[in-house]
């Protein structure tokens, strides 16, 4: 069989045999009645890992983020977001559409927010201004190149927000990548935030699902919004079972994905026509630019796919490659070989 190395995203990971077994054997019930023991176990486990009181299983990261904004804000509020964050750029305008709130973008450095910039964006009460009620932080930061916000920075950001009466939501789709890269517990990164969404379906390799965590009363309000969005699931334990395996077995191995991303980036940076800032390669995402005199990103992605390597064209000249459990060290070498071949042609 011909080799295909799929570097488009860590969302392409397939469930492990242990996950499939757990799914087949899961004890289930109707989760809208709170009668699915497996969903309850996943929610408790997730809350415990993130150091929060309660959890809510949701179908996707997007649903988790949007339920969080709905629960934290009211119509006409302002939400501070990082300019290239997923919640602002890639959730189909959900903040405006669903919450009726206005996102206000603040540029970070490779996606990492500066507390002083956040402070500068805060405005005193005035008849002309919308009330600002929420700050959203993304860790790791996808478009920043998988960059990591440290525990200290997270505390500083939350302190600025809380002093001004804002709640803090953490889009921690890849929070465990950040925790592994920093060598800290995910709970430390989550601590300063009022709510956290993390994904089971990315590097942790579960087929479906994310979890939203926060304090008990807040999660009960979020549960209502999940129902409004059609996210009240029934025998969802078949999905949650894979999520439990993801949380218990798949976190530590993320270090391998980070080492593979590093290997990939160090190889790519040597190839003429590619410019890549190695400092941004902190976890499992590698983002680089192609010299316009060589070729554009969609041509590059198309030609590379013909050689069995899939990647994402995320801008006219920009490519994203993501490592994950279904990409081995040999696959990375193979991908580098394919890019070198393109560069020689
Ligand atoms: N990211 C996906 C695409 O939507 C871009 C990917 O391939 O990286 N927050 C962050 C930081 C994300 O990267 C994503 C997904 C989400 C939220 C949304 O999660 P899903 O796809 O489960 O709705």
């Amino acid at each position: 069989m011909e080799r295909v190395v799929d570097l488009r995203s860590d969302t392409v990971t397939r469930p492990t045999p242990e996950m499939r077994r757990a799914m087949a054997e899961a004890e289930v019930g109707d989760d809208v009645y709170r009668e699915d023991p497996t969903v309850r176990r996943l929610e408790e486990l997730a809350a415990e890992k993130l150091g929060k009181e309660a959890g809510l299983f949701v179908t996707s990261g997007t649903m988790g983020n949007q339920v969080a904004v709905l629960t934290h804000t009211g119509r006409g509020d302002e939400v501070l977001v990082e300019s290239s964050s997923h919640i602002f750029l890639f959730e189909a305008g959900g903040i405006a559409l669903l919450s009726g709130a206005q996102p206000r973008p603040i540029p970070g450095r490779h996606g990492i927010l500066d507390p002083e910039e956040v402070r500068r964006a805060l405005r005193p009460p005035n008849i002309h201004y919308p009330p600002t009620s929420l700050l959203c932080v993304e860790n790791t930061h996808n478009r920043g190149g998988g960059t990591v916000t440290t525990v200290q920075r997270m505390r500083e950001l939350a302190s600025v927000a809380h002093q001004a009466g804002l709640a803090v939501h953490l889009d921690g789709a890849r929070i465990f990548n950040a925790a592994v890269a920093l060598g800290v517990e995910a709970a430390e990164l989550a601590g300063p935030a009022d709510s956290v969404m993390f994904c089971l379906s990315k590097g942790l390799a579960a087929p479906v699902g994310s979890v939203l965590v926060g304090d008990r009363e807040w999660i009960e309000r979020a549960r209502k919004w999940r129902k409004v969005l059609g996210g009240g699931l029934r025998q969802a334990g078949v999905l949650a079972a894979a999520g439990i395996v993801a949380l218990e077995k798949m976190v530590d191995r993320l270090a391998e994905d980070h080492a593979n991303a590093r290997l990939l980036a160090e190889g790519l940076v040597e190839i003429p026509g590619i410019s890549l800032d190695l400092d941004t390669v902190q976890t499992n995402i590698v983002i680089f630019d192609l010299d316009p005199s060589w070729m554009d990103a969609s041509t590059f992605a198309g030609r590379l796919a013909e050689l069995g390597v899939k990647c994402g064209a995320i801008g006219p000249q920009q490519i994203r490659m993501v490592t994950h459990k279904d990409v081995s060290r040999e696959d990375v070498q193979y991908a580098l070989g394919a890019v070198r071949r393109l560069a020689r042609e």
Side-chain angles (χ1 to χ4, degrees):
M1 216 168 70
E2 260 184 46
R3 192 193 286 249
V4 175
V5 181
D6 195 343
L7 297 165
R8 286 172 303 167
S9 183
D10 45 10
T11 59
V12 304
T13 41
R14 306 282 158 82
T16 63
E18 189 179 354
M19 286 178 187
R20 288 183 186 269
R21 263 195 313 278
M23 292 172 81
E25 292 163 10
E27 207 188 320
V28 296
D30 189 327
D31 186 52
V32 174
Y33 296 129
R34 307 286 289 124
E35 286 173 5
D36 190 303
T38 311
V39 172
R40 292 184 80 122
R41 199 145 60 80
L42 170 65
E43 291 176 344
E44 279 161 24
L45 180 66
E48 185 194 309
K49 297 251 183 222
L50 276 295
K52 300 290 182 207
E53 283 177 12
L56 182 70
F57 183 52
V58 288
T59 52
S60 67
T62 302
M63 183 185 274
N65 279 338
Q66 293 303 324
V67 164
V69 178
L70 280 160
T71 313
H72 281 300
T73 66
R75 206 171 159 70
D77 282 5
E78 178 176 75
V79 178
L80 303 182
V81 294
E82 201 282 325
S83 312
S84 57
S85 58
H86 195 279
I87 204 166
F88 178 50
L89 288 186
F90 305 115
E91 298 189 10
I95 293 181
L97 182 66
L98 301 168
S99 295
Q102 163 175 288
R104 168 126 175 254
I106 304 174
R109 187 177 147 68
H110 302 302
I112 310 298
L113 284 167
D114 177 339
E116 279 316 306
E117 294 284 330
V118 173
R119 201 191 302 277
R120 268 196 284 278
L122 297 168
R123 297 180 285 179
N126 179 302
I127 195 168
H128 300 90
Y129 303 157
T132 308
S133 54
L134 180 65
L135 168 69
C136 297
V137 181
E138 185 174 313
N139 196 14
T140 65
H141 196 288
N142 183 346
R143 283 298 164 116
T147 47
V148 172
T149 295
T150 60
V151 176
Q152 180 58 23
R153 177 61 64 96
M154 197 56 215
R155 286 187 187 138
E156 290 164 3
L157 288 166
S159 156
V160 169
H162 287 149
Q163 271 169 28
L166 278 64
V168 177
H169 172 65
L170 174 59
D171 174 348
R174 298 184 178 84
I175 187 82
F176 290 101
N177 292 86
V180 166
L182 291 168
V184 301
E185 294 296 326
E188 285 183 73
L189 290 168
D194 300 287
S195 59
V196 184
M197 181 284 291
F198 73 90
C199 293
L200 300 160
S201 62
K202 299 199 164 59
L204 302 186
V208 178
S210 299
V211 187
L212 189 57
V213 297
D215 66 36
R216 207 170 298 285
E217 176 274 332
W218 188 88
I219 286 291
E220 281 321 301
R221 288 194 290 122
R223 187 177 300 282
K224 178 85 172 184
W225 280 116
R226 184 187 70 171
K227 191 80 182 85
V228 171
L229 298 183
L233 300 178
R234 303 297 178 175
Q235 287 72 34
V238 290
L239 302 174
I244 292 170
V245 177
L247 269 179
E248 287 182 335
K249 303 283 173 71
M250 304 300 284
V251 172
D252 293 343
R253 64 151 307 287
L254 294 173
E256 269 174 57
D257 300 342
H258 300 174
N260 282 338
R262 192 79 213 165
L263 181 71
L264 179 64
E266 282 171 358
L268 288 168
V269 84
E270 300 293 330
I271 298 172
I274 287 181
S275 53
L276 190 162
D277 179 354
L278 281 176
D279 289 345
T280 64
V281 184
Q282 299 171 8
T283 55
N284 69 328
I285 300 179
V286 181
I287 293 180
F288 55 92
D289 291 308
L290 301 173
D291 189 327
S293 67
W294 183 21
M295 64 177 112
D296 65 37
S298 60
T299 310
F300 177 92
R303 305 248 321 256
L304 204 58
E306 285 166 17
L307 301 176
V309 179
K310 297 184 185 177
C311 64
I314 62 166
Q317 294 302 133
Q318 203 167 43
I319 296 288
R320 184 181 78 151
M321 293 181 169
V322 185
T323 57
H324 52 77
K325 80 137 176 78
D326 296 333
V327 170
S328 66
R329 203 178 157 82
E330 291 68 43
D331 289 333
V332 169
Q333 306 283 16
Y334 181 85
L336 281 172
V339 179
R340 286 189 197 108
R341 216 172 116 185
L342 282 189
R344 277 198 304 271
E345 277 172 8

